[in-house]
Amino acid sequence: MAIRTVRVTAPEQMEAAFAIRRKVFIEEQCVPPEEELDALDQTAAHVLALDPGGRPVATGRIIPYGERTGKLQRIAVLSEFRGGGYGRAVVEALEEIGRSMGFSRFVLGAQTHAEAFYRKLGYRTTSPEVFLDAGIPHVHMEKIAAE
């Protein structure tokens, strides 16, 4: 059974996305709240992945990032749902939204522990070295969409 994703269009859906991000980034990874929640949330396209009961368990957002490029950000899956395909569903939904916006290239900053996950989805590492974002090691990655 395919995982259902929805584009965030209502305030309660946005709050569900924020709740997932607070749990994963702020509580688990100790990212300062002022770094996690930002003004880009107002203009980004957000998605939620839902468990079989319809509960939001994963989220992510995409923003325009240069010529025909979308940047995937804030991809988070609640810990008890990791490894269940929810992250993949979020990335695929964000890429679909991006293609509808005219993007043919996708970039992201991956936490180093998730680098292999993104590779499986067709991303390649583009940064020559690891960098810190909110004190967490990351690498830059990109994917060119099939035309």
Side-chain angles (χ1 to χ4, degrees):
M1 181 170 136
I3 293 171
R4 190 163 80 95
T5 59
V6 295
R7 186 166 177 171
V8 171
T9 58
E12 61 273 10
Q13 292 172 317
M14 184 61 79
E15 187 47 49
F18 289 159
I20 293 166
R21 287 169 46 188
R22 277 193 294 274
K23 180 78 174 161
V24 172
F25 297 124
I26 297 170
E27 293 176 25
E28 287 180 25
Q29 298 182 352
C30 299
V31 173
E34 61 275 9
E35 289 185 42
E36 172 49 32
L37 303 171
D38 62 26
L40 292 175
D41 283 319
Q42 305 306 312
T43 56
H46 299 259
V47 298
L48 290 168
L50 310 176
D51 75 2
R55 177 180 146 207
V57 298
T59 190
R61 74 181 188 189
I62 186 169
I63 60 169
Y65 196 74
E67 184 74 22
R68 296 186 51 120
T69 301
K71 185 171 187 179
L72 281 63
Q73 298 180 311
R74 306 302 199 270
I75 297 167
V77 180
L78 293 176
S79 61
E80 62 269 33
F81 293 92
R82 292 181 194 145
Y86 293 96
R88 172 185 285 273
V90 165
V91 170
E92 290 173 351
L94 291 171
E95 289 174 352
E96 185 176 322
I97 290 168
R99 284 189 296 277
S100 75
M101 296 168 74
F103 302 151
S104 57
R105 178 176 173 255
F106 299 98
V107 298
L108 55 85
Q111 293 184 9
T112 53
H113 71 83
E115 189 175 1
F117 164 76
Y118 290 109
R119 264 201 215 109
K120 288 180 194 172
L121 298 178
Y123 285 80
R124 68 178 186 86
T125 304
T126 58
S127 51
E129 57 192 43
V130 173
F131 66 93
L132 294 179
D133 186 2
I136 300 168
H138 283 70
V139 291
H140 292 292
M141 300 186 82
E142 79 168 355
K143 178 180 182 177
I144 307 300
E147 294 289 328

